[in-house]
């Protein structure tokens, strides 16, 4: 048997660890692997794929990025093209190429968008197994996606560094983190880094309430504060802050709320404020040991599902087990921070404000 493996959407630390696990586990049970380049482009264009042997994946466990390349503009059902058409449907070609290449299945490693594409191809007869990937940790059906722990570790380190400069200058430091429409990275890094305010999309904030809490801290003797803002956070009654609207084949890009919160807090508290955007630094670098282990378990489980013919599924973490979920039950949904999540309550009990 021969299977294809691809990585789609934004990269996340641990992608290479999954590829390595897939290739090694497959090889050890006599399955050949073909690496498809730049997401589904490897099934659209000829010569955008290569055979992967265990030797090809030696030494990549600890590497960020993906040896296969990735793109979040490569949806074969609506591929952006530079004509008046805007997008083109290459899905027939993908199905044709899949058969021409002699593949028996494809392991699709990606976030919600890529998994949704994988599910559409499963409905077109291609045996697909998905592996959930995103630093945002917003995929339904799994408690963790690999990449999230690494992003949180990086953001926590950044918050630690901001603490010392904030304290030295008696400033309010605002740090904007990624997460799209969810506040998982902000919440975990905010708690781990000891932030004084954490603003997340699930809890629209009132800037006056944030300012009041920071002023109270000042009265109690704390001359500085740290505010962690998720890129998708927005004020009560307000809207998301975008740096780019959605257009043909491209999703909207979030950003800018950190600077707005920084300006508003400076105005309302009278204190010196500075803001920093962590951006793509959160996606770079070596995966943490947790993400390496999770990615390795995901890769091996994906091969197991291929062997047992459980297609149209996604591997998932349901601690302590790695399980299979049906793709049609997870795609098109977003796993948000629940309003009764205990970590929110814990943070509040310690005096952290969410601006609500
Ligand atoms: O989904 C991962 C993510 O890093 C989000 O947190 C962020 O909003 C987005 O991707 C950024 O995408 P791009 O790499 O296209 O700028």
């Amino acid at each position: 048997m021969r299977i294809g493996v691809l990585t789609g959407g934004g990269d996340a630390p641990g992608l290479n660890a999954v590829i390595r696990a897939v290739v090694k586990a497959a090889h050890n049970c006599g399955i050949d692997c073909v690496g498809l380049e730049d997401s589904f482009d490897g099934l659209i264009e000829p010569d955008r794929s290569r055979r992967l042997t265990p030797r090809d994946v030696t030494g990549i466990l600890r590497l960020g990025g993906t040896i296969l390349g990735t793109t979040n503009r490569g949806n074969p059902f609506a591929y952006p093209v530079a004509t008046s058409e805007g997008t083109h449907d290459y899905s027939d070609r993908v199905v044709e190429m899949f058969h021409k290449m002699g593949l028996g299945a494809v392991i699709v490693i990606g976030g919600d968008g890529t998994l949704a594409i994988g599910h559409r191809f499963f409905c077109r007869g291609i045996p697909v197994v998905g592996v959930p990937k995103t630093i945002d940790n917003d995929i339904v059906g799994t408690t963790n996606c690999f990449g999230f722990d690494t992003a949180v570790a990086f953001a926590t380190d950044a918050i630690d560094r901001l603490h010392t400069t904030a304290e030295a200058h008696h400033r309010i430091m605002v740090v904007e983190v990624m997460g799209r429409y969810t506040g998982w990275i902000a919440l975990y890094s905010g708690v781990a880094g000891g932030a004084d305010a954490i603003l997340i999309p699930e809890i629209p904030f009132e800037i006056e309430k944030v300012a009041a809490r920071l002023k109270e801290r000042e009265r109690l003797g704390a001359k500085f504060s740290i505010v962690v803002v998720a890129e998708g956070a927005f004020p009560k009654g307000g809207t998301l802050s975008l740096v780019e609207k959605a257009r043909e084949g491209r999703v909207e890009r979030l950003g800018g709320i950190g600077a707005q919160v920084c300006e508003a807090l400076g105005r309302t508290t009278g204190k010196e404020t500075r803001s920093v955007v962590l951006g793509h630094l959160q996606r770079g670098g070596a995966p943490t040991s947790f993400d390496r282990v999770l990615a390795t378990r995901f890769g091996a489980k994906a091969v197991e599902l291929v062997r047992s013919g459980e297609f149209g599924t996604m591997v998932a973490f349901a601690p302590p087990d790695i399980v299979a979920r049906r793709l049609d039950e997870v795609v098109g949904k977003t796993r948000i921070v629940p309003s009764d999540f205990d970590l929110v309550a814990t943070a509040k009990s310690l005096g952290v404000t969410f601006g609500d």
Side-chain angles (χ1 to χ4, degrees), residues 72 134-136 178-180 231 253-254 280 283:
N72 42 20
T134 170
I135 63 164
D136 305 334
M178 283 184 165
R180 288 198 77 78
E231 62 180 358
R253 289 176 55 217
L254 277 54
H280 292 81
R283 295 215 314 237

Side-chain angles (χ1 to χ4, degrees), residues 208-345:
E208 298 75 21
K209 291 195 172 160
V210 181
R213 173 69 191 118
L214 303 191
K215 280 195 223 161
E216 189 192 350
R217 270 176 56 78
E218 181 106 9
R219 265 198 310 281
L220 297 173
K223 302 256 174 283
F224 72 97
S225 289
I226 302 286
V227 179
V228 177
V229 186
E231 62 180 358
F234 55 90
K236 204 169 172 181
T239 51
L240 275 176
S241 175
L242 297 182
V243 289
E244 198 181 335
K245 286 188 179 159
R247 55 195 163 100
E248 294 290 6
R250 295 184 192 209
V251 295
E252 64 187 13
R253 289 176 55 217
L254 277 54
I257 188 66
Q260 291 168 28
V261 165
C262 179
E263 190 278 326
L265 286 178
R267 211 170 355 95
T268 41
T269 63
K271 281 188 73 74
E272 230 188 345
T273 56
R274 295 286 187 273
S275 73
V276 56
V277 180
L278 299 187
H280 292 81
L281 291 168
Q282 292 159 98
R283 295 215 314 237
T288 58
S289 53
F290 178 89
D291 279 339
R292 294 181 201 194
V293 171
L294 185 64
T296 300
R297 294 179 79 188
F298 275 180
K301 180 73 177 182
V303 172
E304 193 186 304
L305 294 179
V306 167
R307 292 183 73 201
S308 56
E310 291 175 70
F311 299 115
T313 54
M314 172 190 94
V315 301
F317 190 32
D321 301 314
I322 304 295
V323 298
R325 304 269 188 233
R326 284 170 55 133
L327 275 175
D328 62 359
E329 285 174 1
V330 300
V331 298
K333 298 175 186 165
T334 304
R335 180 174 167 269
I336 60 169
V337 177
S339 54
D340 59 351
F341 193 52
D342 79 295
L343 191 54
V344 173

Side-chain angles (χ1 to χ4, degrees), residues 37-58:
E37 293 171 5
D38 296 335
S39 189
F40 287 93
D41 284 12
L43 281 171
I44 294 177
E45 297 167 29
D47 308 322
R48 296 291 302 281
S49 56
R50 59 184 190 268
R51 186 161 176 253
L52 292 177
T53 66
R55 276 192 76 128
D56 299 312
V57 295
T58 297

